[in-house]
Amino acid sequence: MAVAYSLPSDVSPATVTNTRSLLRIIALALISGAAIASRLFAVINFESIIHEFDPWFNYRATRVLASEGFYEFWNWFDPTAWYPLGRVVGGTIYPGLMATSGVIYNVLHALHLPVDIRNICVLLAPGFSALTAWSTYMFTKEMKDESAGLLAAAFIGIVPGYISRSVAGSYDNEAIAIFLLMFTFFCWIKALKTGSALFGTLAALFYFYMVAAWGGYAFITNMIPLHSLALILMGRYSSRLYVAYSSWYAIGTLASMQVPFVGFQPVRTSEHMAALGVFGLLQIVAFAELVRTHVSSKQFQSLLYASVIGMGILGAGAIIGLTYKGWIAPWTGRFYSLWDTGYAKIHIPIIASVSEHQPTAWPSFFMDLHSLVFLFPAGVVMCFRQLRDEHVFVIIYAVVASYFAGVMVRLMLTLTPVVCVAAAIAFSSLLDTYIEPTEPDVADDSSGKIAETAPAVDAASSGSSTAVSASSSTAKKTKKAPTAPPSVSAVAAAMTPSKKGEKPRGIFGLDTRFIVLLNAVGMLLFFVLHCTWVTSTAYSSPSVVLASQNPDGSQHIIDDFREAYYWLRQNTPENSVVMSWWDYGYQIAGMADRATLVDNNTWNNTHIATVGKAMSSSEEVAYPILRKHDVDYVLIIFGGLLGYSGDDINKFLWMVRIAQGVWPDEIQEPNYFTPKGEYKVDDMASPTMKNSLMYKMSYYRFPELFGTSQAIDRVRGQQIPKAGTTLDYLDEAFTSENWIVRIYQVKKEDILGRDLKSANAFAQGKKRKRTKPPVRRKATV
Amino acid sequence: MAGPKTTASSVSSSSSANALQTLWKAYNDTTSPRLKLVDTFLVFLMLSGVVQFVYCILVTNFPFNAFLAGFGSCVGQFVLTASLRTQVNPTNRSEFKDVSPERAFAEFALGSIVLHFFVYNFLG
Amino acid sequence: MRSFWSLLASVVGLATLLVQAKSSSGDSVLVLLDPSLKRDDFSIFFSGLEEKGYDLTFRSPKDEEPVVIKDDYPQFSHVIIFAPETKSFPKDITPQSLVDLLSKDTNLLLALSPKQTPLTSLASEFSLITPPPGTPLVSHFPERDTPATVIPVNVSHTSPILTPGLPPVWFSGVPFALGTNPLLVPILNAPPESFATDSLGDSDADVVIEASEKGGEGLWAGSQLGLVAGFQPAGGARATWVGGVELFSDEFATKEVSSGVKSGNEQFAADIASWTFQESLVLRVDSIDHHRLNETAPREHYTTNDQIVFTTHISRYNPKTSAWEPYSGIQDLQLEFTMLDPHIRTALPPVPGKPGAYSVTFRAPDRHGVFKFVVDHKRRGWTHLHSSTVIPLVPPRHDEYPRFLSAAWPYYTGAISTSIGFIIFSALWLGGSESKKGKGSKVE
């Protein structure tokens, strides 16, 4: 065989393997370092703070766990959340994340390293992202080989789709869930390949950990049965499948029911029925196979097949029947809205209103995945070419995840690992093909090129060494060290034509290799650049603190949220109750430490609708609701001065819709629009809109800022009437520096029992109209 | 291998009885005592599971967690033992290249211990 | 002469009776006295107050000192305004500042008059509807030799504020209609035959006839009108509105309603004053207590379905001893265990043998959440009692549920038998034949 460049031949195979493993370990270490480092932008730019909304609750729960111990945490009842209903935290959360942090905290303290719990929470996600990279490496190694594994690990280490949910400070369930997802899948594939019950048990244990950590465990619960079903239908049933699936299902399902939040769901809800169904089907098929080995008669076999199919249909019918009867719960709203995308907007407005639940736009695919999104289909096609059992898994995972990612932005996260794996497979096949030095033999001189050895070796080795040195010199190391290709003969066998006398197929010459490899390396470089840029600009802002630029270019920090929350914390009685829209509930609980009415858990739609009704009704209607719930302060977000578009007036229509869902007689959405159907806040706003509590609170004293000139709301771009709004039942308590957070205090009932509007009029000196005495009885004439 | 006689359908009943008898005979001849031990354990587990299920349906399914734990224990142990059986069966050697019978038993023991741990946690 | 001695004796007797009574909220009284009124004309009333121990400070509406409120602190515990002729009050006594005083626990005794004073506009804030200016109350019945505007009014026997058995009182002034505010406490209503009119001559009474033809609309007549009404604002202070200042005068106090029967004005005035100045019918909640049955210490939170014992101690102010004494006379005290709406509403009966203690044992509802123990007792004339204690009700801990149930023994036996079977099986396997490959390896 001719070679494009010659490999050193005096190296023993043992040295080669040792060097390869060493290089792999170094590469994995560098990838972990890159993964951790690229997630630290927020900590370096701002500070070590918990981001967003949900992580604040997780942080609070972890603080309780760290300070009071696991027993108290398991039974924790939070009387300050969802006042006055309270929240049974112990039974309504996924405790995996908090337990992990608690364990790390206790271990570090046992080693006398007094790390603050906040730092552990902030840095947990980057740490686990390194573990995710490693588990993706193991997973892809089963698919193709180690070099593809390293590529996949590198991809998932820095890809923005995963970074968005795992930056330092994003202390959310996905931080550890993606690691557990990939590792569970790896254990499953390994169990399937080897038929070992040990890996099945491991898969079950990590599945249990995943169930404890994230609500998205239903994805695994349905992926693995789907894979097994596909294998059975493809005729690839084998005892390994039986061993792997049965041990995973039996132990995993029983283990998953230990989590109180999951409880009996695995046997009572439709989302888990697929796993149960496939389990039953597998038992039937295994039994049929067993009997078949003992009897070879056709008659008996046909009888057996008939009975097998009959039992399968019977089982399916039983499940459907139980679902109709109600014994098995149908698909819950969250999951049902994935199939019927119009369902949520009509029936469960809360689910539809979350910005993460909106359908994905094409630009976000590119932003989150960059060039991987093009390599991804190629990788899936390559899986078709090989089509071992594990490749079927990747194909199914890819198809299912693509559908879900198209439905909801939030589910881009589940698509990202399979995209990395498939893209790595494709890319590594490309690299393998072009690094492989064998050239096909050619009879003609004109079409064959045999390169010189010495400069060719230099060029090739310099090509690979520059790659290595480039990776060692840049701060963000993402390149894998190109390893020597696997057994030359195997690849050569693939390269050489099967029929004699045909034109030989393969890659000739060094220059073709060089060009293609250069392009490939260039693509990887662009990928790294894009990922770093996206991470630093888009995904590394703690949404608690905003940053903008001064005219002279320096950074201007907008810290209104914390200013307001700390004002609440320091200036209000400890048992005050704060009402705000549910987005800010966790942050108020975490930073201001006050009781809130509703928060991001959104488990009680009626309570949220009550808050929505209070915000969208007039003061007279809202005041009894506020007093009934003992509300002391009302907090709203107003972005009109600064141009902050995530404020409550923009979310107002969702408040109306949710309230309308519970009180359709009192709140109607069309009332808040102008007769022409526009959403206006200036003088053309509808009377219902002008009288609503939210409008009054947002624009209270806003025109005073502008003096004599016209007041303009920068977000809506409309002019606010100069008269401004008046508030009778609330007092302004606090407005932050840029008017982003406004806090109002609810007035107590009037001392003389009057309604507060008349009381205010009296206090300002207005006289009441003379009235006549009430008629008690008619005079007899 | 003696199979059931492929007679006409008029003697189908006797042929099915014959088929079962032949099946039993074939089974007796081909399975080793070790596998027969496994099979008796499997039958016992199946009976125990059926009894619990019947009790659940007929009498009461409260407390549900105890039912799930008990039933799950039978089912789990059953599949683990069945897996052990397939792994140890010499006819399946080609499928289980990496798993020797000793390793199969070790995995079986480990899986069973994990299963029982969860069962007892869920029982009370 | 005899009448003089009897009068002196009764005054002395009354004085000795009242000499120890003092208010529960302070002794300083500011009296805003119109210059047209002489202090001596009200000597019985004022000396009665002074004998009780009040510290009276007199001020004319023209004076700037002493101010009634300074730096947001009220300077006096009680304020009496007898200013029927004044059109404008000093700067620190405005209707708004009077309401402010009420919110700062200062009690008010206010007198209206047929003339328009600043108090007339204030009365409407207390949901009292005053007649047009210049229309005093007039009654032609009963036959008497006083002018028509001086009317003897029978005192109702049911008001807890007044001493029972009071003879009729003389009244001269304006009536007012009572609105629907539940905080109003009617004390004295107009006689049924009386009406408000602006002239004494009946020829000008067209207004009255017109109103009666319209079905009583706009008619200021009858016993639905009030002459003396109390008001209990939220917060505990008390205000009393009197339709005319003459009720307190010496002349009316000594006038006879019928032969030999003195009017009840003196006692009536003293009763009103003692009610307004927080002497009589004053209650307070001393303490509240809650604990589980068979325990004594209160807990930070209770579990659903707990048996909870709630106790409250109520005292009443005794003006004679100037002390708070435990009071077990409330028969209809109620406890509400509330989360948004009362989940439990039960009677809180007095504990026999423990004066002042009211206690009840109840079972906490099956719903977890943040509840409040609410004691809310509002009765006309009595101090409003309100106490609210927040307590979380948590669900049972995970190990408080019954653990091993007898109904589940088949499952227990099943699980245990599986474990035993597993152990036996492993023992048999490991101790069994060493031939790893097994017999019968014939492939079919």
Side-chain angles (χ1 to χ4, degrees), chain A residues 71-72 74-75 77 79 84-85 88 293 628-630 751-752 754 762 765 768 770-773 776 778, chain C residues 96 103 125 129-131 177-178 181 220 224 231 233-234 339-341 368-370 372 394 397-399 444:
Chain A
Y71 188 61
E72 288 300 320
W74 200 247
N75 287 302
F77 174 80
L85 306 171
V88 183
T293 56
K628 186 173 180 186
H629 289 78
D630 297 335
I751 189 173
L752 297 181
R754 306 166 284 183
F762 169 72
R768 267 186 208 240
R770 292 202 73 89
T771 49
K772 300 237 168 75
R776 303 275 167 87
K778 283 196 180 309
Chain C
Q96 286 78 13
S103 68
E125 296 299 318
I129 307 167
T130 47
L178 300 167
N181 199 325
W220 299 90
Q224 69 191 14
F231 194 92
M339 176 171 79
L340 291 180
D341 292 310
H368 56 82
V370 181
K372 292 189 283 199
V394 303
R397 297 174 79 100
H398 72 278
D399 56 355
E444 64 139 13

Side-chain angles (χ1 to χ4, degrees), chain C residues 46-377:
Chain C
F46 289 134
S47 56
L49 286 179
E50 275 170 353
E51 273 153 19
K52 277 201 221 167
Y54 287 101
D55 194 10
L56 298 176
T57 313
F58 286 86
R59 176 180 168 188
S60 156
K62 303 265 184 307
D63 296 341
E64 297 296 326
E65 292 284 313
V67 287
V68 77
I69 186 166
K70 187 165 157 189
D71 295 334
D72 242 8
Y73 280 99
Q75 303 294 310
F76 295 93
S77 307
H78 319 284
V79 175
I80 299 178
I81 299 189
F82 286 168
E85 313 272 322
T86 323
K87 283 254 186 305
S88 67
F89 282 170
K91 265 205 278 296
D92 60 319
I93 304 187
T94 60
Q96 286 78 13
S97 73
L98 286 175
V99 174
D100 198 26
L101 277 179
L102 273 179
S103 68
K104 293 184 166 59
D105 290 338
T106 306
N107 306 303
L108 303 177
L109 181 59
L110 308 166
L112 292 168
S113 85
K115 297 213 175 54
Q116 185 94 335
T117 65
L119 288 183
T120 325
S121 61
L122 181 61
S124 57
E125 296 299 318
F126 286 76
S127 89
L128 301 171
I129 307 167
T130 47
T135 53
L137 191 69
V138 159
S139 173
H140 297 303
F141 298 90
E143 195 72 28
R144 58 192 189 277
D145 36 334
T146 60
T149 48
V150 178
I151 307 162
V153 184
N154 290 328
V155 177
S156 91
H157 302 287
T158 51
S159 173
I161 298 174
L162 307 169
T163 49
L166 270 183
V169 297
W170 288 107
F171 175 81
S172 166
V174 292
F176 39 76
L178 300 167
T180 50
N181 199 325
L183 300 172
L184 275 174
V185 183
I187 299 178
L188 189 68
N189 279 15
E193 322 87 14
S194 61
F195 57 95
T197 179
D198 55 351
S199 80
L200 286 177
D202 289 337
S203 55
D204 296 346
D206 308 319
V207 147
V208 178
I209 297 171
E210 245 178 67
S212 69
E213 277 167 4
K214 283 196 223 148
E217 184 193 331
L219 190 66
W220 299 90
S223 58
Q224 69 191 14
L225 297 178
L227 300 176
V228 179
F231 194 92
Q232 289 172 287
R238 287 171 176 169
T240 306
W241 290 85
V242 185
V245 144
E246 286 85 354
L247 190 72
F248 298 93
S249 61
D250 288 352
E251 180 198 333
F252 280 23
T254 50
K255 212 179 175 89
E256 285 188 358
V257 279
S258 53
S259 56
V261 179
K262 210 166 70 109
S263 72
N265 279 55
E266 192 180 339
Q267 184 61 33
F268 183 81
D271 283 341
I272 298 182
S274 93
W275 182 80
T276 312
F277 296 159
Q278 307 268 5
E279 281 178 41
S280 62
L281 305 187
V282 180
L283 298 170
R284 77 171 179 196
V285 177
D286 276 337
S287 66
I288 60 125
D289 233 335
H290 53 83
H291 55 85
R292 248 190 219 174
L293 196 60
N294 303 330
E295 285 178 17
T296 48
R299 285 175 163 237
E300 274 182 12
H301 56 77
Y302 294 101
T303 316
T304 58
N305 293 316
D306 263 358
Q307 294 286 343
I308 304 182
V309 177
F310 180 82
T311 314
T312 179
H313 290 86
I314 310 240
S315 319
R316 181 181 178 178
Y317 182 73
N318 188 346
K320 295 191 188 46
T321 58
S322 306
W324 291 90
E325 290 162 7
Y327 178 66
S328 288
I330 307 180
Q331 298 302 325
D332 52 358
L333 199 59
Q334 276 185 340
L335 171 72
E336 288 177 357
F337 197 54
T338 306
M339 176 171 79
L340 291 180
D341 292 310
H343 284 235
I344 294 203
R345 191 182 268 152
T346 174
L348 204 57
V351 176
K354 280 203 204 149
Y358 298 77
S359 174
V360 72
T361 308
F362 64 96
R363 183 184 71 98
D366 202 12
R367 177 117 170 65
H368 56 82
V370 181
F371 283 82
K372 292 189 283 199
F373 292 110
V374 176
V375 172
D376 194 17
H377 182 84

Side-chain angles (χ1 to χ4, degrees), chain A residues 259-312:
Chain A
V259 178
F261 195 29
V262 172
F264 299 138
Q265 279 181 30
V267 290
R268 296 200 91 135
T269 58
S270 302
E271 291 113 12
H272 299 84
M273 280 302 117
L276 181 65
V278 171
F279 182 64
L281 183 67
L282 258 175
Q283 305 303 314
I284 297 173
V285 172
F287 183 67
E289 288 289 314
L290 182 68
V291 174
R292 189 164 70 96
T293 56
H294 289 280
V295 175
S296 56
S297 139
K298 278 211 176 4
Q299 184 190 36
F300 208 80
Q301 274 188 19
S302 57
L303 183 69
L304 204 62
Y305 280 137
S307 58
V308 162
I309 294 173
M311 278 210 278

Side-chain angles (χ1 to χ4, degrees), chain A residues 501-515:
Chain A
E502 280 217 346
K503 225 175 160 119
R505 306 165 102 215
I507 303 169
F508 296 93
L510 260 185
D511 45 355
T512 47
R513 292 186 162 77
F514 192 63
I515 291 172

